[in-house]
Amino acid sequence: MEKRQFGSTDMQVGILGFGGAEIGFQGATGKTVEELLSSALDAGLNVIDTAECYRNSEELIGKTVSHRRGDYYLFTKCGHASGLEGQDWDPRMLEASIDRSLRRLKTDYVDLIHLHSCSEEILRRGEVIEVLQKARDAGKTRYIGYSGDGAAAYYAVTCGAFDSLQTSINIADQQAVDLTLPEARKRGMGVIAKRPIANACWRSGTKPADAYHHVYWERLQELAYPFLRQSLDTSIATALRFTLSLPGVHTAIVGTANPGRWRQNAAMLEAGPLPAEELAAIRERWQAVAGPGWTGQG
Ligand SMILES: NC(=O)c1ccc[n+]([C@@H]2O[C@H](COP(=O)([O-])OP(=O)(O)OC[C@H]3O[C@@H](n4cnc5c(N)ncnc54)[C@H](OP(=O)(O)O)[C@@H]3O)[C@@H](O)[C@H]2O)c1
């Protein structure tokens, strides 16, 4: 697995990470997660991303791979109370959330904690950033980041407080390529592509039932990239290689609850970056078709 220097941090991240939302939301069993993560770690995975509000995702990770803590960088998020006392973004609740994440993940520290998509207004108040800085000073996290999109992500990148950005970047969501990626690169920030294959929302050939996928589905109908008519494996590989070929992207955290998926997707990346002309064609099609409302999706 190719590794990239993650901004100005001391981390060398594998280009294919693991997104921990699906294991929580789809009710994956411990046995499935054990198989999925153990086999992926054996095959070269070194980035695991989760969050305070992906149901029991943090617990599943803690239970199944905390005994191998030295083998992976561990990223989580805070912001949503998710069962704790207090409102979302309340600084005291955030502190409790960080401590809860460490307990669930069965570790003394995470490598990176993100603010989980708060608004620009909340960011500008500064107190949520101070909570993360205190957690870093206390050794609970090594680095701090912002996870989100659009104007709030732009503020997060340019305010200088964060080591990294996690943002939506994929064939159906390219606002970040022009808005935040160049600024993040200038500042030596690590960049994590979330939703990196646009949720594979074209996989069944019909409009997905889950409303979360509808914006990308509608956009892809209009973008009508020719490669989407190829086999599913080929189109997924093109989508993933597109995201990872964009300058400034360090890792793509594809989400899955399927034990064989990480290795399958890792094999797709052995082909290397997308040829320059294919990358340019996807970018040009986006620039020709995307309307002003085609903003980064959370
Ligand atoms: N605000 C935030 O901070 C935020 C928001 C969204 C996401 N995230 C993070 O980003 C991660 C990734 O985002 P995401 O999971 O929403 O989107 P994604 O990674 O673009 O897509 C995941 C979906 O693609 C499917 N898939 C993966 N490989 C496939 C393949 N080779 N063929 C067919 N289907 C394939 C998976 O299904 P299978 O289970 O069948 O593999 C899953 O349903 C999340 O897990 C989470 O960690 C953060």
Side-chain angles (χ1 to χ4, degrees):
M1 170 67 39
E2 179 193 337
K3 292 196 172 72
R4 292 183 183 167
Q5 174 61 41
F6 191 64
S8 309
T9 73
D10 64 7
M11 294 188 271
Q12 296 272 327
V13 294
I15 56 174
L16 182 62
F18 168 74
E22 281 72 10
I23 56 169
F25 290 124
Q26 292 179 21
T29 63
K31 188 168 171 291
T32 300
V33 176
E34 156 93 66
E35 190 185 337
L36 193 168
L37 289 179
S38 300
S39 62
L41 289 170
D42 291 344
L45 169 69
N46 79 349
V47 169
I48 296 181
D49 179 79
T50 182
E52 83 292 19
C53 61
Y54 298 161
R55 299 205 180 135
N56 63 339
S57 172
E58 290 184 323
E59 279 115 325
L60 285 166
I61 292 163
K63 276 185 195 143
T64 55
V65 290
S66 56
H67 63 287
R68 301 180 63 166
R69 180 68 187 87
D71 290 350
Y72 53 90
Y73 298 121
L74 184 54
F75 303 167
T76 193
K77 313 188 185 80
C78 62
H80 308 291
S82 303
L84 290 172
E85 268 182 39
Q87 299 296 308
D88 289 359
W89 309 112
D90 167 25
R92 267 183 306 184
M93 187 285 293
L94 289 184
E95 284 171 10
S97 180
I98 293 169
D99 290 342
R100 179 178 64 178
S101 290
L102 296 181
R103 281 195 304 277
R104 287 169 159 182
L105 290 160
K106 295 186 192 288
T107 185
D108 298 333
Y109 72 96
V110 290
D111 294 284
L112 173 56
I113 190 146
H114 305 89
L115 289 173
H116 203 170
S117 308
C118 59
S119 65
E120 181 178 346
E121 188 199 331
I122 290 174
L123 276 176
R124 280 184 184 275
R125 273 189 241 143
E127 49 189 15
V128 292
I129 298 177
E130 282 164 25
V131 173
L132 263 54
Q133 289 168 333
K134 262 171 57 186
R136 182 172 56 189
D137 292 345
K140 295 178 184 181
T141 185
R142 298 201 307 124
Y143 295 102
I144 64 175
Y146 177 78
S147 181
D149 305 275
Y154 183 81
Y155 176 77
V157 168
T158 53
C159 78
F162 296 102
D163 302 300
S164 67
L165 172 72
Q166 178 175 142
T167 197
S168 294
I169 306 176
N170 61 58
I171 54 169
D173 201 333
Q174 299 183 33
Q175 186 191 42
V177 182
D178 300 309
L179 181 67
T180 47
L181 265 186
E183 295 294 332
R185 280 183 84 194
K186 251 195 266 170
R187 290 167 169 78
M189 292 174 70
V191 173
I192 302 158
K194 66 180 167 81
R195 306 183 76 177
I197 54 169
N199 302 103
C201 66
W202 67 98
R203 67 198 270 181
S204 72
T206 56
K207 188 170 176 170
D210 186 345
Y212 184 57
H213 300 163
H214 289 177
V215 171
Y216 287 167
W217 168 263
E218 304 294 350
R219 287 181 185 180
L220 290 180
Q221 300 311 298
E222 287 190 56
L223 288 160
Y225 298 118
F227 72 83
L228 291 177
R229 294 197 294 272
Q230 296 179 304
S231 72
L232 186 60
D233 273 3
T234 305
S235 59
I236 296 270
T238 301
L240 183 55
R241 290 168 69 212
F242 167 77
T243 298
L244 283 165
S245 299
L246 293 164
V249 173
H250 299 119
T251 186
I253 48 168
V254 177
T256 185
N258 175 334
R261 197 65 98 191
W262 191 87
R263 283 165 296 160
Q264 180 193 1
N265 289 338
M268 290 175 180
L269 293 173
E270 281 165 18
L274 214 54
E277 60 280 9
E278 279 186 63
L279 183 74
I282 296 172
R283 289 288 293 139
E284 279 160 23
R285 184 74 190 140
W286 170 271
Q287 280 148 359
V289 173
W294 288 30
T295 54
Q297 298 296 294

